[in-house]
Amino acid sequence: MTTAWKACLAAIAILAACPAQAQSDISGHVDLYARVRVAGFALPVDIRQSGARTRVDVNTGGIVQTYIADREKGVLISLLTAGQTRTALVFPLDRADGIIPLPLELPVVTRQAAVKIVGASLVNGKPCRLMEFSGYLNQSGLLCATGDNIILQMTKQGHKDPLFQVMDLTIGAQDSSWFRPPAGYTVTAVPAIGGASASNDSPSYATPTAPPAAPKPRTTPTKP
């Protein structure tokens, strides 16, 4: 696992900084919950997806980092807890679907990379099609996808251990409360980058436009 991939997962860049593709369609994503074992991380990562919304919970050293991407609203939310202070930082996010380090759906990969079925396998007892892929995030290797196109495992070329492996998978609707700041969090826009206006009952986020520039006062030249 490269340093760039680790950084993309462990920081806000997991969902915001990876390049987006304008032609991608985010309307066809599968609603799911997955617990995923990721190379380089001691504890599994929890991923929840509902349409254009994705929530990622990363537990590192007893500290849970939570990122919520809402591409319909064009925002990425980072939940922070420090003592008694709970803050939801809101960043702007491209509304187009993007390339991400942990693609759980086969169409996300096939839009960017070439794949070829080379056999069949089992991942945690679940049958899947074994495929070679090349060109995804400039990487090549093997992946195994279920009949309904959920990727259960991805392994980089030349590596024995998987980049990621799905340990638990539940397909189905996810509660909408997972994708908004919980009660008690103060929603705060990152200065000079994004904006937010939200309540816990009916969250709404927006990026404010800059105020119009004040007209410059006219000056009358003085005669020498």
Side-chain angles (χ1 to χ4, degrees), residues 26-165:
I26 61 177
S27 61
H29 284 309
V30 177
D31 289 3
L32 57 81
Y33 161 75
R35 173 158 284 192
V36 184
R37 178 75 69 184
V38 183
F41 290 82
L43 297 175
V45 173
D46 289 328
I47 300 177
R48 291 173 174 85
Q49 182 172 285
S50 179
R53 300 173 300 178
T54 303
R55 173 176 173 142
V56 178
D57 293 290
V58 183
N59 190 331
T60 54
I63 299 174
V64 178
Q65 303 171 67
T66 298
Y67 308 105
I68 301 170
D70 189 331
R71 294 190 180 278
E72 286 184 350
K73 292 183 170 65
V75 296
L76 175 68
I77 305 168
S78 175
L79 301 183
L80 303 176
T81 302
Q84 300 299 314
T85 303
R86 297 184 176 186
T87 304
L89 294 179
V90 179
F91 300 82
L93 178 68
D94 197 316
R95 284 180 168 83
D97 210 352
I99 302 176
I100 59 176
L102 304 181
L104 295 184
E105 295 174 283
L106 186 60
V108 173
V109 173
T110 57
R111 283 197 293 263
Q112 317 296 336
V115 299
K116 180 177 68 174
I117 298 177
V118 294
S121 187
L122 290 172
V123 175
N124 293 326
K126 295 181 181 294
C128 54
R129 296 165 291 163
L130 193 62
M131 304 180 185
E132 292 180 346
F133 73 91
S134 61
Y136 192 79
L137 282 173
N138 297 319
Q139 303 292 332
S140 300
L142 291 173
L143 62 82
C144 213
T146 65
D148 50 2
N149 292 330
I150 301 300
I151 298 175
L152 299 180
Q153 183 173 290
M154 177 178 277
T155 306
K156 288 175 57 179
Q157 188 175 31
H159 290 246
K160 180 181 179 181
D161 295 329
L163 173 66
F164 73 85
Q165 183 181 102

